[in-house]
Amino acid sequence: DARVTQTPRHKVTEMGQEVTMRCQPILGHNTVFWYRQTMMQGLELLAYFRNRAPLDDSGMPKDRFSAEMPDATLATLKIQPSEPRDSAVYFCASGSQGLYTEAFFGQGTRLTVV
Amino acid sequence: DQQVKQNSPSLSVQEGRISILNCDYTNSMFDYFLWYKKYPAEGPTFLISISSIKDKNEDGRFTVFLNKSAKHLSLHIVPSQPGDSAVYFCAASAQSGGTSYGKLTFGQGTILTVHP
């Protein structure tokens, strides 16, 4: 049963702390997306990787957010320092390269910064 | 700059009737369109898609229509069922070359409620 796995599912942290969210894409998938769900913006794209190389992180606040893929089985999204406005659900999705293919989403990490 | 827009935040429909969810896009490079469904506390799941070479794609109770000249697509659910109650996201991507190839851009979502 192939699925995208995200950890942790829930995270409560204090303002100013570092937060790291992890994602294990589906084995064999070579594209990885990080999205943030907010009420006003829907699903905002934060970062997009193909073959572990970052292709687009224009949606990510560069001063505090960073995204990496240390290897093909792990993608990370880090926030340092975290702020209350970062509170949201963060989704990772993976897909395979090719025409007309969909992305598969993980269950998300609900982040609350107090 | 919202390239994919779902202008109706919510839609309420009676069981058995048709649900029509709408989506507009501005980027003429988009040539592949998808609909995702999302239940609370879960990630979005793929529902149906359409490429720009078609104007209609059907899968059971779900049909997606694409009007390229109007840059508009819609999802029809017939007949609607209470289990269809969820948030529906429209997404688009450009399948041609470049670094944005395959990148999915989503709309804000529409909350569908189907009443028994």
Side-chain angles (χ1 to χ4, degrees):
Chain A
D1 182 23
R3 65 177 72 183
V4 175
T5 304
Q6 288 186 249
T7 55
R9 291 292 312 277
H10 302 274
K11 176 74 176 177
V12 180
T13 190
E14 290 186 349
M15 183 172 65
Q17 295 297 305
E18 177 178 299
V19 174
T20 298
M21 290 168 271
R22 293 176 173 80
C23 168
Q24 181 176 355
I26 292 173
L27 191 63
H29 281 184
N30 66 339
T31 58
V32 172
F33 305 86
W34 281 105
Y35 287 93
R36 175 169 62 182
Q37 184 183 11
T38 63
M39 292 296 291
M40 296 302 295
Q41 299 292 328
L43 285 168
E44 294 178 87
L45 179 68
L46 298 174
Y48 168 45
F49 291 80
R50 188 184 308 138
N51 297 323
R52 294 175 55 202
L55 292 186
D56 187 342
D57 60 2
S58 57
M60 204 164 64
K62 301 288 191 308
D63 55 338
R64 299 184 299 108
F65 284 60
S66 61
E68 295 179 347
M69 281 201 73
D71 60 60
T73 64
L74 177 65
T76 62
L77 180 67
K78 200 170 289 189
I79 308 173
Q80 167 63 22
S82 57
E83 297 180 1
R85 59 180 167 149
D86 301 329
S87 298
V89 182
Y90 292 80
F91 289 103
C92 174
S94 72
S96 55
Q97 187 170 350
L99 290 178
Y100 309 128
T101 60
E102 68 270 23
F104 296 83
F105 280 77
Q107 291 188 291
T109 294
R110 180 174 291 278
L111 173 66
T112 304
V113 183
V114 297
Chain B
D1 177 27
Q2 197 81 24
Q3 296 187 59
V4 178
K5 293 182 184 179
Q6 294 175 255
N7 291 316
S8 298
S10 63
L11 175 67
S12 184
V13 170
Q14 205 68 29
E15 181 178 7
R17 301 289 190 113
I18 184 170
S19 294
I20 300 176
L21 298 108
N22 294 302
C23 178
D24 298 295
Y25 62 97
T26 57
N27 189 340
S28 57
M29 297 298 292
F30 288 150
D31 55 5
Y32 185 50
F33 305 90
L34 309 90
W35 285 95
Y36 281 77
K37 181 167 74 172
K38 184 185 179 304
Y39 292 119
E42 294 183 11
T45 55
F46 170 73
L47 193 57
I48 192 170
S49 63
I50 189 168
S51 71
S52 59
I53 61 174
K54 295 185 174 182
D55 53 20
K56 177 183 172 182
N57 188 26
E58 195 171 347
D59 183 2
R61 297 185 297 114
F62 302 90
T63 303
V64 56
F65 295 92
L66 175 62
N67 183 334
K68 288 189 291 292
S69 60
K71 293 191 175 69
H72 177 84
L73 65 154
S74 60
L75 175 68
H76 292 210
I77 307 173
V78 183
S80 302
Q81 299 173 353
D84 296 329
S85 298
V87 180
Y88 288 79
F89 288 98
C90 167
S93 73
Q95 297 294 299
S96 56
T99 57
S100 293
Y101 158 68
K103 182 174 86 171
L104 287 178
T105 301
F106 282 81
Q108 307 96 310
T110 297
I111 302 170
L112 173 66
T113 305
V114 181
H115 298 283

